[in-house]
Amino acid sequence: MEITGIISALVVGLIIGALGRLVVPGKQHLPIWLTLLLGIVAAFVGGFLATLISSMWWWVLIVQVLVAAVIVYVVDGFYARKPRGAD
């Protein structure tokens, strides 16, 4: 993978993270930086999973957004239960 591919994957990951957050209903407790980081992870994982079936760009995008939504939902569940100020 070339450097331009990595940079474009990071930019797409940021957008995927934002879209994943919009798909999850209700209030999320995650900071925006964590959502964007999860979007980058979801872009790579979703892209890999989607290309196992088809490489059409819209299919890859849909799978990436769904993976981001699932990851945001799961991590938000853990993040919301984390006690704060218990030091």
Side-chain angles (χ1 to χ4, degrees), residues 13-69:
L14 296 175
I15 296 168
I16 296 296
L19 291 174
R21 187 173 180 132
L22 289 173
V23 170
V24 175
K27 182 181 184 318
Q28 289 88 37
H29 302 90
L30 298 175
I32 191 69
W33 65 267
L34 184 56
T35 302
L36 298 176
L37 183 68
L38 294 174
I40 293 169
V41 172
F44 283 107
V45 172
F48 173 75
L49 292 175
T51 55
L52 291 175
I53 297 171
S54 174
S55 61
M56 290 184 285
W57 69 269
W58 57 269
W59 171 252
V60 174
L61 180 65
I62 290 170
V63 172
Q64 287 174 328
V65 171
L66 291 176
V67 168

